[in-house]
């Protein structure tokens, strides 16, 4: 934008998403160079299709356009936009300046949304799938689906390795029955698998706006082809094919329906909710000292407290995930206020929310992959917490064992109740350890089952079918879902800052 600041200067604001967090590949996808290069590609595809269908466009004009796709004079474009107050026409003139032979046929029959909307769809499709017509420099894999598949794969490895490691479950963040570390991780994986399937659905549902004209009626192209309806349809299909889309909208106004943006950002917002939940769990487990995210050798947790090991990566994910979740409100409101065939109050909003949604998703997935590649578990801490809570959980098993040994269920229940209250008092009033088992061992009433206490208190006997559930879930749901992405699994996550 001609009136914009110098975004490379320390005296000008620059979005932290670009300067601190998102990957260079994702930043490039939403750069001016990539955007306006895509505009030029769209103008070339239109001219090629129009020539093929018989319009008087020469091979020399086509070749001139091809030769100047990357020859973008950004200074001239900015000056033209300041003069014309129209970004598309500014770039039509700038492209025409370096293509004097082709200048008269650039943008022939098209409206601004031909390049604006179709570029947005190309970017969305390409970012989600890594298969856009204009490839990312240096990598085809730094995109949403591949990133998400890698995160799921890393967490699946983690879950498999710890499928049988008992840990205290929490409901209401209060101690509950035992689960396993791997089973808890599968709760995270299941949400991410749903996000992956939703991303694939959105990708498969994306359609090209195509060649529709000012109000979607294709009237300008019908005039160009002298009323030949078949050629207009061929033109639309040819450009759609060149852009790599299987389908185009039959019905549009000047724009494609803005409900498409709702669909895309809703899926990304849902992903944000999943990541926020996962990283919140990791932060809580870090407080309990049961699990930690990676912590680098020279990393500083606090400027004032040298001993701190703050879960900085997980906190970043939560912070940015909240931003991602709120962005869906923009397309929701934009779609609701599009008057008739189109109104321009969508434009400035979409410039911000669409790019920020993908940049934010890129950041949180890259960061979550980094976390999942270096999660640290502390089994001894987990074991100690289980020992504090398990005696209370085991009381029903102890009662059943006493009944089998000939005791009265009611008498045993009363004995356990009294001893439990005494043990709870030690924990709460004195800050001591849970000594219920020691009290049971010291009480002659329970002598018939003293030899069974170790077995009755084995944590693995309290985890139900957790380990079997992990194995079945991974084999039946996760691994088949990841199979198409095996070629990208070795890519490691690298944090910008």
């Amino acid at each position: 934008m001609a009136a914009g600041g110098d975004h490379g200067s320390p005296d000008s604001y620059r979005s932290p998403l670009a300067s601190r967090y998102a990957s260079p590949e994702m930043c490039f996808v939403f750069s001016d160079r990539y955007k306006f290069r895509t505009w030029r590609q769209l103008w070339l595809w239109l001219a090629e299709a129009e020539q093929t269908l018989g319009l008087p466009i020469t091979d020399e004009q086509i070749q001139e356009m091809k030769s100047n796709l990357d020859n973008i004079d950004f200074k001239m474009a900015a000056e033209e936009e300041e003069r014309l107050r129209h970004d598309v026409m500014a770039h039509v003139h700038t492209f025409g300046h370096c293509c004097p032979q082709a200048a008269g046929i650039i943008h022939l029959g098209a409206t601004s949304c031909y390049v604006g909307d179709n570029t947005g769809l190309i970017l969305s499709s390409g970012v989600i799938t890594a298969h856009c017509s204009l490839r990312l420099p240096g990598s085809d894999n730094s995109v949403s689906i591949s990133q998400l598949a890698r995160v799921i794969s890393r967490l699946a490895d983690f879950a498999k390795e710890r499928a049988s490691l008992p840990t205290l479950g929490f409901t209401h963040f209060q101690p509950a029955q035992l689960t396993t570390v791997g089973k808890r991780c599968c709760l995270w994986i299941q949400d991410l698998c749903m996000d992956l399937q939703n991303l694939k659905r959105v990708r498969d549902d994306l359609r090209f706006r195509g060649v529709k004209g000012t109000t979607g009626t294709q009237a300008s192209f019908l005039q160009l082809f002298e009323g030949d309806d078949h050629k207009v349809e061929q033109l639309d299909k040819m450009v759609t094919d060149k852009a790599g889309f299987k389908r185009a909208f039959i019905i549009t106004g000047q724009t494609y329906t803005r409900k498409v943006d709702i669909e895309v950002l809703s899926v990304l917002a849902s992903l944000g909710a999943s990541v926020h939940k996962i990283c919140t769990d990791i932060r809580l487990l870090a407080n309990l000292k049961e699990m930690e995210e990676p912590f680098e050798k020279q990393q500083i947790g606090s400027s004032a407290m040298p001993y701190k090991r703050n879960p900085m990566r997980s906190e970043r994910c939560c912070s940015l995930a909240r931003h991602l979740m709120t962005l869906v409100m923009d397309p929701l409101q934009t779609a609701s206020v599009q008057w008739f065939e189109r109104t321009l109050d969508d434009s400035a909003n979409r410039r911000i929310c669409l790019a920020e949604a993908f940049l934010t998703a890129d950041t949180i997935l890259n960061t979550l992959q980094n976390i999942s590649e270096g999660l640290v578990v502390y089994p001894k801490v987990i074991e100690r917490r289980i020992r504090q809570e398990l005696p209370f959980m085991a009381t029903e098993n102890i009662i059943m064992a006493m009944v089998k040994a000939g005791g009265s269920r009611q008498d045993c229940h009363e004995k356990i109740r009294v001893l439990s209250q005494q043990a709870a008092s030690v924990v709460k009033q004195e800050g001591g350890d849970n000594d219920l088992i020691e009290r049971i061992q010291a009480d002659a009433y329970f002598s018939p089952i003293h030899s069974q206490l170790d077995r009755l208190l084995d944590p693995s006997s309290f985890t139900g079918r957790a380990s079997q559930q992990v194995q079945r879930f991974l084999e039946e749901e996760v691994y088949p879902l990841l199979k198409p992405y095996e070629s990208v699994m070795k890519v490691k996550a690298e944090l910008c800052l």
Side-chain angles (χ1 to χ4, degrees), residues 332-346:
L332 280 168
Q333 297 194 54
T334 294
S336 72
V337 297
Q338 287 301 288
W339 302 343
F340 303 112
E341 282 67 46
R342 195 267 173 98
T343 179
L344 193 61
D345 64 353
D346 64 340

